[in-house]
Amino acid sequence: MLQSQLFSKTSRENPKDAISANAQLLERGGFVYKNSAGVYSFLPLGWRVLQKVAAIIREEMNALGAQEVLMPSLVEKKYLDATGRWNVDVGFKVYDNEALRRAQGEHEPKFVLGWTHEEVISAIGAHFINSYKDLPKAVYQIQTKFRAEQRAQAGLLRGREFLMKDLYSFHDDQQDLNRFYEKVIKAYRKILSRLNLNARLTEAAGGAFTKEFTHEFQILNSAGEDTVLYCGECDWAQNKEISKMEHSDKCPVCKKGSVKMDRGIEVANVFKLG
């Protein structure tokens, strides 16, 4: 297709309300259109890029033996009630139809726009997995997530609506989970390598997802919102929010390098839900 025939057009000027470099360049290049804070439309060029990224991810997930699914964006309250995560302040709550709500005397929302799908896939898994002979199993989806970000000002880096690949696995014992966990880390390394992204595997806290430590893939970049402590001599790295180390300390692993500190962009993470 000729550039003159594209639905979108390039611009010489930065959009007035775009602060981050990624938002300025992507909007000027006609890749995305900003609808609201943290909410973007992907135009033909941007959508083509996303499809290419998704194709690489699908190849590596399929190579793991995972099967692709698509779960609903609308998640009923009962799923998050089961784990006590209904009141986590990250979801956009959704009421039923207003007329129906008044007629039934309902005052509480019954749904949330999906910010996570652990509970949903656990319910589905419980329906189909009947014994250890059905295990292990792994499924993934590439689907829109919704999160009530308070500071949606970093362009595509912190959005309220975004496309995400999420992978879920089921195992009959901890050892099998641990083995698969390492396979997933290797798969993510391959994905990031194919995308020419140099990411550091970083220990981090689980936040709203798990009490255990997790592993993030962080790309060191001044535009990032995380602070990463890492060794200049070996592969050790930790998110500063969980680390007891300080800048210029000796590396706790190799004992040779000194601890450095930089900003990071989280591009993937892995955790054991339990």
Side-chain angles (χ1 to χ4, degrees):
M1 178 185 292
L2 296 175
Q3 185 174 359
S4 60
Q5 296 177 330
L6 273 176
F7 177 74
S8 57
K9 292 182 173 62
T10 59
S11 172
R12 294 181 179 179
E13 298 180 358
N14 285 329
K16 294 180 181 179
D17 58 349
I19 301 173
S20 62
N22 78 81
Q24 292 174 351
L25 295 173
L26 289 170
E27 288 189 65
R28 284 179 56 186
F31 285 80
V32 302
Y33 176 84
K34 183 177 180 180
N35 298 96
S36 308
V39 181
Y40 289 84
S41 291
F42 282 81
L43 303 175
L45 290 178
W47 182 238
R48 182 175 295 186
V49 173
L50 268 186
Q51 287 179 306
K52 288 184 176 182
V53 173
I56 290 172
I57 292 172
R58 280 191 172 95
E59 287 177 10
E60 299 302 337
M61 292 299 98
N62 293 341
L64 275 175
Q67 301 171 54
E68 187 169 7
V69 300
L70 183 63
M71 289 178 274
S73 295
L74 204 59
V75 177
E76 193 173 353
K77 184 176 183 288
K78 66 179 182 181
Y79 293 103
L80 292 166
D81 274 344
T83 56
R85 294 205 296 179
W86 173 253
N87 290 318
V88 173
D89 294 332
V90 70
F92 291 104
K93 302 290 179 64
V94 180
Y95 285 93
D96 280 347
N97 174 274
E98 181 64 21
L100 180 62
R101 184 173 71 88
R102 288 199 303 268
Q104 295 178 343
E106 297 286 348
H107 301 289
E108 294 292 329
K110 288 185 176 180
F111 295 89
V112 66
L113 294 179
W115 58 275
T116 187
H117 281 80
E118 285 92 353
E119 289 86 353
V120 177
I121 194 61
S122 294
I124 296 171
H127 181 76
F128 291 104
I129 298 171
N130 298 308
S131 79
Y132 70 94
K133 294 180 181 179
D134 295 324
L135 298 170
K137 285 287 191 298
V139 295
Y140 73 96
Q141 65 174 351
I142 298 176
Q143 185 232 41
T144 301
K145 289 286 190 291
F146 302 87
R147 295 186 183 172
E149 294 287 356
Q150 299 299 312
R151 297 180 294 111
Q153 59 185 15
L156 299 187
L157 297 185
R158 182 180 283 275
R160 290 174 173 154
E161 178 180 330
F162 55 93
L163 199 63
M164 186 174 89
K165 188 283 302 174
D166 38 327
L167 166 71
Y168 306 94
S169 64
F170 299 87
H171 307 269
D172 63 347
D173 60 37
Q174 188 70 32
Q175 292 176 327
D176 191 56
L177 167 60
N178 293 342
R179 284 192 293 268
F180 189 73
Y181 191 88
E182 295 303 320
K183 288 182 180 179
V184 172
I185 287 176
K186 290 180 181 178
Y188 284 8
R189 288 190 190 278
K190 288 182 68 175
I191 290 168
L192 295 168
S193 176
R194 291 178 65 180
L195 295 172
N196 292 319
L197 295 174
N198 183 19
R200 281 185 170 269
L201 185 63
T202 305
E203 292 181 345
F209 296 94
T210 176
K211 294 179 181 179
E212 293 190 43
F213 285 140
T214 71
H215 287 89
E216 300 171 341
F217 285 88
Q218 293 275 1
I219 295 174
L220 300 182
N221 188 291
S222 59
E225 296 190 335
D226 289 321
T227 300
V228 180
L229 297 172
Y230 63 98
C231 177
E233 298 292 330
C234 71
D235 292 333
W236 177 85
Q238 280 187 340
N239 193 305
K240 192 176 190 306
E241 67 181 14
I242 66 152
S243 185
K244 297 179 180 179
M245 304 302 294
E246 298 289 342
H247 184 252
S248 298
D249 285 352
K250 282 292 183 183
C251 173
V253 175
C254 72
K255 310 296 185 183
K256 297 178 181 178
S258 60
V259 174
K260 299 182 179 182
M261 185 168 68
D262 209 338
R263 306 297 288 176
I265 300 171
E266 180 191 341
V267 293
N269 78 349
V270 193
F271 58 89
K272 300 171 185 176
L273 184 63

